[in-house]
């Protein structure tokens, strides 16, 4: 039995199950809730199955259609993609549970098919080894994300979603141009084949520039972050959680893979630039977050800052190898859990008081203790305090920066942490005080509060599990980094 | 290596006209003119595809790129004018740009264009791609049109996701819940005659394109888009789906395309052990089934995208 | 100079250059215009440009069948483009209905 379970093509299940679930929800709206929850649970179990499969057999390359690259499309699962999938499944579970209480029936019927298609797109993206296939998954993900962002229907949400749509389409087209250049320059769209064939000529440089520009726009790295705060802040809370936690990580993941696998021979000038922009993102995003008067906008700017941390590690990966990669993975994973928890908690505050103005949070700590604990724990991870996943991520980042003598990066990380503490405590402080104008409150369903808290606890627990999680990153020796000195 | 002078002149002229049409379309002060020029641009793109030995794309571009996109744009403009009074408004500049001079992005983009042009020109003048592998495996694929083989066998996974994208776009449009476009008056003489003559012909053409796609230019997307055009024509005359078909039957047809694709994916994974690996003997049959279901599904989806508003049955949002 | 002449004489590369030109033209229009319908047209023009680059270089010199893989990619791309356009147009209508203008609101985040 155990042998049979290891041989199940879990990667295929991860892609087909949410597709089938989504189509089932479209055909039979009456069973949407049950079918949706079962699908998300199935996805979580499949990730566990895939994890088992990878630890038993090492990295997995799966030739769709039996043809194999470069003629066909390959799926590829290694430690990095496994952890991204695990991140998606965990946040997905939390958001799904939350959405049951958040949406009324009409919106629930619209939310679930879109969300399950987004889940399928994310899974397909993290498993793909073909740059054109990645384009199709990027488009699927982008359109689903935009539709979800527009769900709340207000003019802010609609404008934010429109700006998001135009930005994501622009990013995809730049990426596709790069794909065209790579295909015509080197004869394949498979990542492994391209990695072998790439030479540092003008075609490769242009493709790198175009694809990086497109993906950086989609990941909202400073200064191309303008679309993110309006879209993420005005979307419904569970959608904001998914957008900040998962969707921006997907384009970052592609950028990471392309840089380290295909474009490795092209040298380090541009990675230094990305590191600089990352530093600017950390400082600018944190400062803007501090200036905000509404919780959701603050959390959205916090995402801009946290994305900067991911890019800070870029110049370090080539030199320090595994440590920097571990830092990136831990930062991404813990940010996903913590940011999702924060957005869900913000949604609770919004549902409770009818507004999310920071100054007017009326003694929320008494009325919504679970929500506030969730926000506080998530804040611990975002600030990078021990013991949390965020702390481990920052610790690894600092380690690799120090080993390279990059005191400038160390300074940015420390300042970023202080600013994060400032904006988190701003919210927490106001939650203890009485508002100037008392107002009526609405009850918040238990599932919404608990979903936020469980995700926040997961972010903290991640900090304790470094010894279990970090060896997983090494499965398949992503990018051949294990030979480099940490 | 050098094409004849006549062909080269034709291509150069076509290229210049494409650029000129795109420029005029984007720079025009009247939105209606912009859209019409864009449709003309799409039709000339179809000509360019034909010049580039890409007849499959030419048919798809003419039907989808020029035809259906044009219909979507004109429909959106009509609805927009009902909501927003825009007569005589000159094209506004992006607010951001009021802080910078207009020539700044122009200079930057000229520089980018030069770089891209250099890179494109530096690419090897003949394809270094996968045609050899495709040709080698064509017999095992079940069809003899290489583009269909790539779309529905070698890279079928991409096509599966693409059909999901189309369905998702419709779900997204429905979730936005735009109001009905207003009760259509009785169609005028031209529309009435044209639709009566054209719709049956379009259906026949769609069936032909579907059938011929296995060994000649054509296939599910081309056929589906022609079917979609027929649907658009019907919708323009004021025809609506009978209410009893608006619920589950409509959803079943829409989901059928990607749904059957996913079902075949599951079946192939269970039986042959590899996702979307068709047994060589049944490959041709599987592709025919896929394409047929996909054609109907794509056609209905495109027509529904044009219509825009979701069905208003009691079990719907 | 010789390579430039060769490029220009080669029809396939000619269309590739047109594609690059369309991409940049569309990008300029996307940045400069405020009206959402024009932005959507600009995105479509950019898409056509990229597709031209993909297919133009798939053509074989001296006869022979062209490379079918970019053709399949472009057909996929056209379908994705019409899906995105449909969503964008509907969203534009909603924005116009909600705000009274078919333009994105001016905000401080646009740096």
């Amino acid at each position: 039995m155990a042998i049979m379970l290891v041989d199940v093509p879990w990667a295929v299940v991860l892609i087909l199950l949410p597709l089938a679930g989504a189509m089932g929800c479209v055909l039979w709206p009456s069973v949407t809730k049950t079918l949706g929850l079962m699908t998300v649970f199935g996805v979580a179990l499949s990730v566990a199955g895939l994890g088992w499969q990878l630890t038993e057999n090492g990295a997995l390359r799966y030739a769709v259609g039996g043809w194999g690259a470069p003629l066909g499309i390959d799926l590829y699962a290694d430690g990095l993609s496994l952890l991204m999938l695990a991140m998606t499944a965990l946040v997905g579970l939390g958001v799904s549970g939350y959405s049951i209480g958040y949406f009324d029936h009409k919106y629930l019927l619209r939310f679930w098919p879109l969300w399950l298609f987004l889940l399928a797109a994310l899974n397909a993206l993290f498993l793909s080894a073909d740059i054109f296939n990645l384009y199709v998954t990027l488009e699927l993900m982008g359109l689903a994300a935009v539709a979800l962002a527009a769900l709340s229907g207000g003019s802010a949400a609609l404008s934010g979603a429109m700006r998001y749509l135009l930005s994501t389409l622009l990013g995809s087209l730049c990426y596709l141009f790069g794909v065209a250049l790579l295909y015509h320059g080197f004869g394949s769209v498979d990542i492994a084949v391209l990695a072998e064939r790439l030479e540092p000529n003008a075609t490769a440089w242009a493709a790198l520039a175009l694809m990086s520009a497109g993906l950086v726009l989609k990941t909202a790295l400073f200064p191309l972050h303008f679309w993110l705060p309006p879209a993420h802040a005005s979307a419904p809370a569970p959608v904001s959680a998914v957008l900040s936690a998962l969707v921006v990580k997907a384009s970052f993941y592609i950028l990471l893979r392309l840089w380290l696998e295909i474009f490795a021979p092209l040298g380090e000038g541009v990675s230094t630039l990305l590191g600089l922009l990352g530093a600017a993102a950390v400082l600018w995003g944190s400062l803007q977050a501090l200036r905000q008067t509404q919780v959701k906008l603050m959390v959205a700017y916090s995402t801009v800052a946290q994305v900067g941390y991911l890019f800070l590690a870029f110049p370090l990966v080539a030199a320090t190898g595994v440590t920097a990669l571990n830092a990136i993975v831990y930062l991404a994973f813990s940010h996903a859990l913590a940011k999702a928890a924060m957005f869900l908690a913000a949604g609770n505050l919004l549902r409770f008081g009818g507004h999310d103005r920071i100054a007017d949070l009326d003694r929320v700590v008494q009325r919504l203790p679970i929500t506030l604990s969730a926000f506080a724990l998530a804040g611990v991870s975002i600030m990078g305090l021990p013991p949390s996943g965020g702390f481990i991520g920052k610790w690894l980042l600092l380690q690799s920066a120090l080993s390279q003598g990059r005191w400038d990066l160390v300074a940015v990380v420390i300042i970023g942490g202080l600013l994060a503490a400032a904006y988190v405590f701003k919210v927490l402080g106001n939650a203890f005080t009485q508002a100037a104008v008392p107002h009526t409150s609405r009850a918040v369903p238990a599932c919404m509060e608990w979903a936020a808290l469980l995700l926040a606890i997961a972010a903290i627990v991640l900090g304790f599990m470094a010894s279990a999680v970090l060896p997983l990153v090494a499965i398949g020796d992503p990018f051949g980094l294990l030979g480099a000195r940490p | 290596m050098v094409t004849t002078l006549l062909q080269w002149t034709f291509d150069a002229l076509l290229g210049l006209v494409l650029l000129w049409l795109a420029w005029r379309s984007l720079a025009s002060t009247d939105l209606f003119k912009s859209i019409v020029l864009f449709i003309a641009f799409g039709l000339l793109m179809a000509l360019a595809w034909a010049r580039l030995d890409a007849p499959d794309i030419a048919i798809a571009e003419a039907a989808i790129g020029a035809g259906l996109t044009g219909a979507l744009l004109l429909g959106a403009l009509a609805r927009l004018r009902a909501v927003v009074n825009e007569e005589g408004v000159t094209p506004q500049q992006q607010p951001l740009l009021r802080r910078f001079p207009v020539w700044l992005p122009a200079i930057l983009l000229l520089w980018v264009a030069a770089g891209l042009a250099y890179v494109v020109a530096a690419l090897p003048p003949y394809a270094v791609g996968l045609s050899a592998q495709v040709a080698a495996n064509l017999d095992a694929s079940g069809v003899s049109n290489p583009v269909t083989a790539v779309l529905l066998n070698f890279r079928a996974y991409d096509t599966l996701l693409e059909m999901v994208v189309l369905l998702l776009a419709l779900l997204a449009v429905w979730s936005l819940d735009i109001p009905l476009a207003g009760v259509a008056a009785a169609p005028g003489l031209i529309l009435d005659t044209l639709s009566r003559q054209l719709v049956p012909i379009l259906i026949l053409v769609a069936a032909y394109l579907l059938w011929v796609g296995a060994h000649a230019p054509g296939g599910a997307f081309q056929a589906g888009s022609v079917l979609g055009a027929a649907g658009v024509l019907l919708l323009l005359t004021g025809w609506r789906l009978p209410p009893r078909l608006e619920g589950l039957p409509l959803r079943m047809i829409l989901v059928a395309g990607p749904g059957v694709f996913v079902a075949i994916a599951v079946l192939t994974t269970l039986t042959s052990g590899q996702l979307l690996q068709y047994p060589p003997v049944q490959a041709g049959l599987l592709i025919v089934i896929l394409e047929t279901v996909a054609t109907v599904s794509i056609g209905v989806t495109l027509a529904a995208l044009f219509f825009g508003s979701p069905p208003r049955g009691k079990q719907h949002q | 100079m010789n390579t430039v002449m060769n490029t220009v004489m080669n029809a396939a590369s000619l269309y590739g250059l047109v594609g690059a030109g369309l991409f940049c033209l569309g990008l300029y229009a996307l940045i400069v215009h405020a009206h959402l319908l024009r932005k959507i047209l600009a995105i479509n023009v950019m898409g056509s440009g990229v597709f031209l680059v993909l297919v133009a270089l798939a053509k074989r010199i001296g006869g022979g069948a062209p490379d079918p893989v970019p053709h399949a990619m472009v057909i996929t791309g056209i379908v994705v483009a019409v899906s995105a356009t449909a969503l964008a147009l509907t969203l534009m209508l909603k924005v116009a209905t909600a705000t009274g203008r078919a333009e994105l609101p001016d905000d401080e985040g646009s740096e």
Side-chain angles (χ1 to χ4, degrees):
Chain A
M1 184 66 175
I3 302 175
M4 268 177 57
L5 279 178
V6 151
D7 284 333
V8 171
W10 294 109
V12 175
V13 174
L14 275 170
I15 300 170
L16 293 181
L17 183 61
L19 285 178
M23 290 191 272
C25 288
V26 171
L27 286 176
W28 298 288
S30 48
V31 296
T32 297
K33 238 196 298 197
T34 328
L35 190 56
L37 285 173
M38 275 171 49
T39 308
V40 177
F41 270 112
V43 165
L45 287 174
S46 309
V47 173
L50 181 68
W52 187 12
Q53 197 173 38
L54 289 181
T55 43
E56 294 285 309
N57 300 334
L60 166 74
R61 179 167 283 269
Y62 189 92
V64 178
W67 302 105
L71 179 64
I73 300 172
D74 275 356
L75 298 177
Y76 182 66
D78 63 2
L80 176 62
S81 35
L82 173 68
L83 286 167
M84 294 287 110
L85 289 165
M87 172 184 87
T88 307
L90 281 174
V91 173
L93 279 172
V95 162
S96 303
Y98 187 89
S99 68
I100 304 292
Y102 184 87
F103 289 111
D104 64 17
H105 186 68
K106 179 173 92 159
Y107 284 98
L108 206 61
L109 291 183
R110 294 178 189 176
F111 169 78
W112 271 103
L114 294 172
W115 157 232
L116 287 175
F117 277 131
L118 179 59
L119 186 57
L122 283 165
N123 287 346
L125 192 147
F126 290 129
L127 286 168
S128 178
D130 178 294
I131 53 178
F132 184 75
N133 186 244
L134 282 171
Y135 168 74
V136 182
T137 59
L138 271 176
E139 290 291 280
L140 183 61
M141 183 184 80
L143 294 185
V146 166
L148 285 169
L151 262 187
S152 34
S155 68
L158 291 169
S159 310
M162 184 82 227
R163 189 180 273 116
Y164 183 15
L165 179 60
L166 290 172
S167 308
T168 203
L169 288 175
L170 174 59
S172 302
L173 283 173
C174 292
Y175 175 82
L176 186 62
F177 205 132
V179 171
L181 289 176
L182 281 179
Y183 180 76
H184 284 306
F186 305 105
S188 171
V189 281
D190 183 75
I191 293 183
V193 174
L194 280 171
E196 283 168 33
R197 293 187 191 176
L198 193 100
E199 298 152 27
N201 56 21
T203 311
W205 275 105
L208 171 64
L210 283 165
M211 292 167 102
S212 301
L215 291 170
V216 154
L217 174 58
K218 282 163 138 352
T219 315
L221 176 66
F222 182 91
L224 294 175
H225 65 286
F226 57 86
W227 57 266
L228 190 145
H232 287 205
S234 51
V239 173
S240 308
V242 170
L243 291 178
S244 268
L246 302 176
V247 174
V248 296
K249 305 292 172 19
S251 40
F252 175 77
Y253 165 86
I254 299 179
L255 191 59
L256 189 63
R257 277 238 183 254
L258 292 179
W259 262 101
L260 294 180
E261 292 209 23
I262 303 182
F263 292 116
L266 289 186
E268 299 183 17
V270 186
S271 59
T272 315
L273 173 65
L274 288 178
L276 257 167
L277 292 176
V282 170
L283 298 172
W284 175 257
S286 306
L287 281 170
Q288 289 291 76
L290 207 47
R291 281 183 55 204
Q292 296 306 315
T293 54
Q294 290 176 284
V295 178
K296 286 191 79 178
L297 269 171
M298 181 207 92
V299 180
Y301 274 104
S302 167
T303 300
V304 172
Q306 299 287 315
V307 161
Y309 283 111
L310 296 174
F311 281 96
L312 275 181
F314 250 80
L316 298 169
V317 179
T320 63
V322 144
T323 316
L325 185 63
N326 288 341
I328 290 179
V329 169
Y330 239 88
L331 282 170
F333 204 150
S334 55
H335 174 251
L337 293 169
K339 190 48 62 74
M342 258 195 184
F343 264 120
L344 296 185
N348 289 344
L349 295 175
L350 197 54
R351 170 67 59 94
F352 180 70
H355 72 88
D356 67 338
R357 291 187 299 276
I358 298 178
D360 293 338
L361 292 174
D362 184 20
R363 285 171 297 154
V364 170
V365 65
Q366 296 172 353
R367 272 92 77 70
L368 291 180
I370 303 180
T371 297
L372 217 67
S373 317
F375 194 93
L377 286 176
V380 162
S381 183
I382 298 275
M383 287 187 267
L385 291 179
S388 67
F391 168 69
I392 303 280
K394 284 201 183 170
W395 175 251
L396 291 167
L397 184 60
L398 285 171
Q399 242 188 340
S400 51
L402 281 170
S403 74
Q404 292 294 310
R406 295 296 303 267
W407 287 97
D408 50 342
L409 295 181
V410 172
V412 168
V413 172
I414 294 179
I415 298 178
L418 290 171
L419 288 170
Y423 59 71
V424 169
F425 278 115
K426 188 170 147 186
V427 172
L428 291 177
N430 274 291
F432 279 82
T433 59
Q434 188 166 4
V437 178
H439 41 259
T440 56
S441 52
R442 279 175 66 186
V444 176
C447 64
M448 282 166 65
E449 292 205 81
W450 281 100
L453 183 63
L454 287 172
L455 279 175
I457 292 179
I460 303 292
V461 165
L462 196 61
F464 290 104
M465 293 180 59
S467 56
V469 170
L470 287 178
L472 289 176
V473 180
I475 296 178
D477 191 12
F479 324 123
L481 287 173
L482 289 182
R485 295 279 147 268
Chain B
M1 214 187 88
V2 175
T3 54
T4 68
L5 188 60
L6 185 63
Q7 289 178 332
W8 183 87
T9 318
F10 183 82
D11 288 329
L13 272 175
L14 184 57
L16 284 172
V17 171
L18 279 173
L19 284 167
W20 182 81
L21 270 177
W23 171 50
R24 292 312 309 156
S25 167
L26 293 170
S28 167
T29 52
D30 177 19
L31 283 171
F32 180 74
K33 203 156 90 172
S34 288
I35 297 177
V36 170
L37 286 170
F38 179 77
I39 297 175
F41 168 80
L43 290 174
L44 283 180
M45 280 290 290
L47 200 53
W49 298 131
R51 283 293 301 147
L52 286 170
D53 294 335
D56 304 77
I57 309 181
I59 304 175
E61 176 80 45
I64 306 179
L68 277 155
T69 309
L72 285 171
L73 288 164
L74 288 171
L77 182 62
R79 289 175 137 138
L80 190 62
R81 288 206 165 138
V83 173
V84 174
N85 184 6
E86 300 215 45
E87 302 307 327
V89 175
T90 51
Q92 280 267 49
Q93 265 186 38
Q94 176 78 306
L96 158 70
L97 266 300
R98 294 187 200 124
R99 290 185 237 162
F100 298 101
V102 181
W103 48 260
L104 188 62
I107 296 288
L108 284 172
L109 278 170
L110 270 172
W111 192 68
V112 169
L116 287 176
Y118 169 73
V119 170
V120 169
L123 286 168
Y126 47 86
V128 294
L130 293 167
S131 10
Q133 275 113 323
V134 173
N137 289 295
L138 195 55
D139 294 327
S141 70
V143 292
S144 51
N145 177 0
V147 177
T148 306
V150 173
L151 270 177
L152 283 156
N153 196 337
F154 304 136
R155 297 185 66 98
Y157 177 45
D158 272 344
T159 311
L160 168 60
L161 290 178
E162 165 198 3
M163 292 181 58
V164 172
V165 170
L166 196 54
L167 175 62
L168 173 75
L170 182 61
L171 291 176
V173 166
W174 278 1
S175 79
L176 287 171
D177 207 4
I178 53 176
L180 288 168
V183 180
L189 183 62
I190 296 180
L191 183 57
D192 193 33
T193 320
L194 213 58
S195 59
R196 282 176 202 278
Q197 307 300 324
L198 273 184
V199 170
I201 295 178
L202 286 174
I203 297 180
L204 272 177
V205 168
Y208 171 72
L209 281 172
L210 171 63
W211 175 249
V212 87
H215 55 268
F221 292 101
Q222 294 83 347
S225 49
V226 170
L227 210 55
V232 168
L233 207 49
L234 280 177
L235 288 169
L236 284 172
T237 64
W239 177 86
R240 297 287 177 261
L241 206 56
R244 64 187 164 85
L245 290 181
E246 269 187 356
L248 186 61
L250 175 63
R251 295 201 304 276
M252 284 181 72
I253 297 184
L254 292 168
V255 170
V260 167
F261 219 138
V262 168
I264 290 184
V266 171
L267 269 170
T268 50
T269 315
L270 289 175
T271 55
S272 70
Q274 204 75 353
L275 174 65
L276 287 174
Q277 181 174 32
Y278 308 147
V281 178
Q282 282 110 21
L285 177 66
L286 277 174
I287 292 182
V288 165
I289 295 175
L290 267 176
E291 287 210 293
T292 313
V293 181
T295 301
V296 177
S297 197
I298 292 171
V300 175
T301 309
L302 288 170
L305 274 175
F306 173 76
F307 187 65
S309 309
R312 305 275 167 181
K314 61 170 164 55
Q315 70 269 47
H316 279 290
Q317 35 276 53
Chain C
M1 192 58 199
N2 209 20
T3 42
V4 172
M5 280 313 296
N6 278 342
T7 303
V8 173
M9 290 309 287
N10 175 3
S13 287
L14 204 65
Y15 283 110
L17 293 176
V18 171
L22 286 173
F23 182 82
C24 294
L25 193 62
L27 185 53
Y28 177 74
L30 178 66
I31 297 176
V32 164
H33 287 307
H35 196 284
L36 287 171
L37 192 61
R38 290 206 169 79
K39 285 188 190 277
I40 296 172
L41 282 176
I43 293 267
N44 274 296
V45 167
M46 285 177 73
S48 294
V50 180
F51 299 154
L52 260 179
V53 172
L54 259 173
V55 174
L57 291 129
K59 183 177 153 109
R60 313 226 102 196
I61 309 304
D67 186 351
V69 174
H71 293 194
M73 291 187 201
V74 166
I75 294 182
T76 304
I78 291 178
V79 173
V80 167
V82 76
S83 311
T85 301
L87 178 57
L89 288 170
T90 313
L91 202 47
M92 173 190 80
L93 279 170
K94 294 288 286 187
V95 168
T97 314
T99 65
R101 300 162 66 209
E103 292 174 10
L104 290 172
D106 201 357
D107 63 16
E108 46 85 26
S110 56
E111 187 252 328

